[in-house]
Amino acid sequence: MMLRKYDVIVVGGGHAGCEAAFSAAKMGSSVLLVTMNLQNIAQMSCNPAMGGVAKGQIVREIDALGGGSGMVTDKSAIQFKMLNLSKGPAMWSPRTQNDRMKFAEEWRLLLERTENVDFWQDMVNGLIVEDGKLKGVKTTMGVEIFSDAVVLTNGTFLNGLIHLGEKNFKGGRSGEGASYGITEQLVDLGFETGRMKTGTPPRVDGRSLDYSKMEEQPGDENPSKFSFSRETSALEKQRSCYITYTNDLTHEILRSGFDRSPMFNGAIKSVGPRYCPSIEDKINRFAERNRHQIFVEPEGWNTVEVYVNGFSTSLPEEVQYAALKTIPGFENVKMFRPGYAIEYDYFPPTQLKHSLETKLIENLFFAGQINGTTGYEEAASQGLMAGINAHLKLAGKDPFVLSRSDAYIGVLIDDLITKGTKEPYRMFTSRAEFRILLRQDNADLRLTEKSHQIGLASDEQLEDVRNKISITNKIKDVLNKTSLSPEEINPLLEEKNSALIKQKNKANTFLMRPHIALSDLRMASENLDKKLSKVDEGNLDALMQAEIQIKYEGYISREQDNALKLNRLEEVKIPEHTDYDSLSSLSAEAVEKLTKIKPTTIGQASRISGVSPSDVSVLLVYLGR
């Protein structure tokens, strides 16, 4: 059998694969999404949630760029929370609980509505490579499908091995087979590979839980949403999550199974995610703690299935069950399926360019867990960028690369290809030098115009952004020009324990004070409130934007200056075939690392571990700077 030739073949239908197919097709490429089971597109393989600290910022960036994750998340959300509101806006992070089945359905429908996307259910077990250039894929059904580019988004399926107590069996996910052939072929072609581990907790029957013994965790009173688009709306009703805790008896039972745990008996040799440890790892590493939080998360609107967040484990199922029954509210628990660990192949991402194209094989792109990341959001953002760059490469255009001051996505990809990773990489706000610039509220202002220029973000998206900027500027203008008298403002200042005034001051100066919000000023001054009502057009996003820009103006300005200084080093290009061995003043470690990574700019070279400031100076002299 012979299928037609495609511009781009995307292998894998997870979060990375969906975004890769969606972006490349929206930009005009013909796309074939090949996945082992079409019923499992966009599976939330682990927890039924999107966003969180730094991850929520990534979902907003994906949406601002024209990707699908934000819209799909909004349409399948059952709860919305803005995390870290007690901190500054750089730390505010949106998070949703989602209906697992609805999330997968919405992604499937979105892809089916996208012109240029075709589907094929099969397992890819090889690549067609000629003269160092990608030509297509081979499948287990013996079908050869030709294309000009391929994006591999294999998740945990490459030689996947599931561990449950002393048992292990081949699989890429519970109930699904592993994928074979690709790793072995890529190694033969010269790629370096490694193994990583991740895990998942048991799923239980919500009807068997006693929620009266747990702490209820409702969603926000006035929920927001992820997508900036007009296509989605905020939730009108929400489902609560709950918190309960392990105890000494829980830990005692779990410890009784340690000798049968693949974590401790040597069966698992690979590295797991540091920031999402298994329950056995937690009670082993933090033996002094007599309890750990357990988040009880519903899997959807209408299902009784519950996700036991915080109880990731690969202990024998009978040990898991006995330990669960000691947790308050879980005394009569019924388990749907036990937790397990899974080991899988990944490819150290230093083998990639910033475009996520591999350095060894032209027109072959990697995205998601194959690059050593963990998390739906990290995977989706890489899929988006790989899909964009596969399309641009075939169109003969320059790659679309986001800098570290442009987006968390830029930080993520630069970290991966410059520093590599030996453990599953997860995004945190602390990884970004410019997090005051990279807020969740301004992702559209930062990225939509860039995306529109390459043909991904729609005209409607760009129009909405320009309208938001216009209204924000009008609001700022009112605040900068309107004076407030002592009679109007002093009662508020006294209430907030802030210094009183003796003469009129502009409204913006009060907004710069801690604990004074724009809503406070509007309540204090009827005149200001009337003026703002004439220009704000009911745009709550613009009002928030104006308030943040005025309140944090000094910090934002300083960070923009720092970004400009550092970005100058990004403009100093390093020729691709530079012979670092010939630069005798470089340290031996710098020569080794620079030769392996092949940085494209001085900025990237300066971030490579082992390249010192003096090595950077040598490179600048060599480049005539």
Side-chain angles (χ1 to χ4, degrees), residues 237-406:
K237 61 173 183 171
Q238 303 186 66
R239 280 200 71 175
S240 289
C241 298
Y242 294 83
I243 289 181
T244 184
Y245 298 88
T246 61
N247 52 59
D248 287 331
L249 181 56
T250 317
H251 299 178
E252 187 182 323
I253 292 170
L254 291 168
R255 284 194 190 95
S256 74
F258 276 12
D259 60 331
R260 302 167 63 196
S261 166
M263 285 277 298
F264 299 122
N265 65 16
I268 291 177
K269 298 177 174 64
S270 48
V271 182
R274 178 188 308 212
Y275 304 101
C276 189
S278 65
I279 188 68
E280 53 264 43
D281 200 21
K282 279 192 275 193
I283 65 172
N284 185 52
R285 281 167 52 193
F286 308 108
E288 73 284 358
R289 295 190 187 172
N290 60 5
R291 70 174 196 171
H292 292 282
Q293 277 186 329
I294 299 295
F295 296 89
V296 182
E297 301 178 346
E299 295 256 338
W301 286 116
N302 303 311
T303 180
V304 298
E305 190 170 355
V306 166
Y307 179 88
V308 190
N309 195 342
F311 204 89
S312 178
T313 180
S314 55
L315 286 165
E317 58 269 37
E318 65 270 21
V319 177
Q320 295 183 34
Y321 184 56
L324 278 175
K325 288 174 76 70
T326 66
I327 296 171
F330 279 70
E331 293 84 357
N332 299 307
V333 68
K334 294 178 182 176
M335 192 157 69
F336 279 178
R337 58 185 168 100
Y340 60 87
I342 180 167
E343 289 187 287
Y344 55 94
D345 293 340
Y346 85 104
F347 291 83
T350 49
Q351 300 170 100
L352 303 175
K353 302 175 183 177
H354 270 97
S355 62
L356 298 181
E357 183 183 20
T358 66
K359 294 172 183 173
L360 279 175
I361 304 294
E362 191 178 356
N363 294 346
L364 174 62
F365 295 78
F366 289 173
Q369 282 179 281
I370 193 171
N371 290 337
T373 59
T374 179
Y376 309 145
E377 303 83 0
E378 289 89 342
S381 67
Q382 293 170 71
L384 176 83
M385 297 302 284
I388 289 170
N389 282 313
H391 172 84
L392 292 174
K393 178 78 189 290
L394 301 185
K397 296 179 179 177
D398 290 337
F400 181 62
V401 175
L402 295 170
S403 75
R404 298 180 72 90
S405 57
D406 284 333

Side-chain angles (χ1 to χ4, degrees), residues 445-464:
L445 309 187
R446 289 185 275 123
L447 299 172
T448 300
E449 188 151 1
K450 292 177 186 289
S451 182
H452 185 265
Q453 287 170 359
I454 60 168
L456 181 56
S458 67
D459 293 342
E460 184 183 80
Q461 278 181 284
L462 185 61
E463 181 189 336
D464 286 347

Side-chain angles (χ1 to χ4, degrees), residues 177-235:
S179 171
Y180 303 99
I182 291 176
T183 297
E184 294 73 13
Q185 183 183 7
L186 289 174
V187 169
D188 287 343
L189 288 166
F191 283 87
E192 177 191 347
T193 186
R195 295 282 277 176
M196 280 187 177
K197 174 198 88 85
T198 190
T200 193
R203 313 301 200 267
V204 303
D205 187 336
R207 296 169 298 184
S208 66
L209 302 182
D210 183 353
Y211 292 102
S212 69
K213 296 182 179 178
M214 308 179 197
E215 302 167 19
E216 186 174 4
Q217 299 286 300
D220 286 350
E221 198 171 319
N222 297 302
S224 183
K225 63 192 187 89
F226 266 112
S227 180
F228 294 100
S229 78
R230 307 171 199 174
E231 283 189 42
T232 64
S233 54
L235 287 167

